[in-house]
Amino acid sequence: AQSVTQPDIHITVSEGASLELRCNYSYGATPYLFWYVQSPGQGLQLLLKYFSGDTLVQGIKGFEAEFKRSQSSFNLRKPSVHWSDAAEYFCAVGPNNAGNMLTFGGGTRLMVKP
Amino acid sequence: DVKVTQSSRYLVKRTGEKVFLECVQDMDHENMFWYRQDPGLGLRLIYFSYDVKMKEKGDIPEGYSVSREKKERFSLILESASTNQTSMYLCASRQGGINGYTFGSGTRLTVV
């Protein structure tokens, strides 16, 4: 069965510092991979996705993620964090066939220090 | 802009009440989902539907049912609400293939 692990439950970074959020997945084939962001009291918004091709994908709000098949990872990065990036981030993996469900990681809560 | 709309942002219900959570999408998506989100447990799938009148159980269907009479609307029903169903409920839709989910803003349900 597919699974997603986000090892860091909480991360605190200073504003302007770089950010990397970790995501590891278990999946039997080439996965579809997603990162979502959830602001307090809101639903989840798609940041970026990977299906094939270039393993470095760009998303909204200055985020990027790199797919590393050998490490079964899809880490999210941002060169310089802004206070408005404080939120919860979810990694998700989906089937690459006709199935429709995504499996989500437990989330990482990002706090940004001024 | 595409949208998934959940009818209520906040609800307070009493134990034993029948509760309806409504979700409507305007994207003509085939697939719709209900998740609950609890601290430390992430998102857990309750039910999903891949077509009108079709439904499938997710990981935690106990205590819930769903209805999908029209393509755009997917309702979650708590037949007899209990305090352990206090949670954030998220509806999502997806066209399938390479697309991700589009989420609603969530309904925070408190059962007292």
Side-chain angles (χ1 to χ4, degrees):
Chain A
Q2 60 202 53
S3 65
V4 179
T5 302
Q6 294 179 244
D8 304 304
I9 297 174
H10 293 98
I11 282 186
T12 300
V13 299
S14 297
E15 191 167 17
S18 63
L19 171 70
E20 182 169 31
L21 302 182
R22 296 184 291 165
C23 172
N24 295 98
Y25 67 90
S26 173
Y27 192 74
T30 301
Y32 293 172
L33 292 157
F34 306 83
W35 274 101
Y36 287 86
V37 60
Q38 184 182 32
S39 298
Q42 301 294 319
L44 279 69
Q45 180 186 19
L46 181 66
L47 280 176
L48 47 77
K49 58 188 177 184
Y50 170 80
F51 302 104
S52 65
D54 192 347
T55 56
L56 184 65
V57 293
Q58 303 297 321
I60 63 171
K61 306 186 184 210
F63 285 93
E64 66 179 27
E66 186 171 13
F67 171 58
K68 293 186 177 180
R69 184 189 301 275
S70 61
Q71 298 176 19
S72 297
S73 70
F74 188 56
N75 294 347
L76 182 71
R77 301 195 294 245
K78 188 169 184 178
S80 177
V81 169
H82 188 263
W83 63 266
S84 61
D85 294 324
E88 190 153 21
Y89 293 80
F90 292 91
C91 182
V93 62
N96 61 353
N97 53 24
N100 297 307
M101 285 183 289
L102 302 184
T103 299
F104 288 84
T108 298
R109 183 166 296 281
L110 172 66
M111 290 172 280
V112 180
K113 292 190 299 185
Chain B
D1 198 11
V2 296
K3 249 185 170 175
V4 176
T5 302
Q6 294 184 231
S7 54
S8 303
R9 293 296 305 274
Y10 301 94
L11 275 179
V12 180
K13 296 292 182 181
R14 295 196 180 277
T15 301
E17 275 194 79
K18 190 169 186 176
V19 181
F20 293 85
L21 303 183
E22 305 289 345
C23 176
V24 177
Q25 52 99 357
D26 64 0
M27 298 163 284
D28 202 36
H29 284 177
E30 302 289 335
N31 310 292
M32 297 187 75
F33 308 82
W34 275 107
Y35 287 84
R36 65 176 284 177
Q37 182 180 19
D38 301 286
L41 297 177
L43 278 72
R44 293 181 291 168
L45 181 64
I46 306 171
Y47 267 96
F48 66 100
S49 168
Y50 52 87
D51 201 353
V52 176
K53 297 191 185 293
M54 305 301 289
K55 59 186 179 185
E56 295 286 343
K57 294 179 180 179
D59 300 319
I60 52 163
E62 296 78 19
Y64 303 94
S65 63
V66 290
S67 171
R68 194 165 181 202
E69 296 296 319
K70 294 185 178 181
K71 192 176 186 180
E72 67 269 21
R73 185 180 297 271
F74 191 36
S75 303
L76 180 69
I77 304 157
L78 286 67
E79 296 290 342
S80 177
S82 63
T83 55
N84 63 12
Q85 292 178 309
T86 292
S87 185
M88 168 73 100
Y89 290 87
L90 292 167
C91 176
S93 72
R94 181 170 185 244
Q95 185 57 16
I98 65 172
N99 300 294
Y101 287 175
T102 300
F103 281 90
S105 298
T107 296
R108 185 165 294 282
L109 172 67
T110 302
V111 182
V112 297

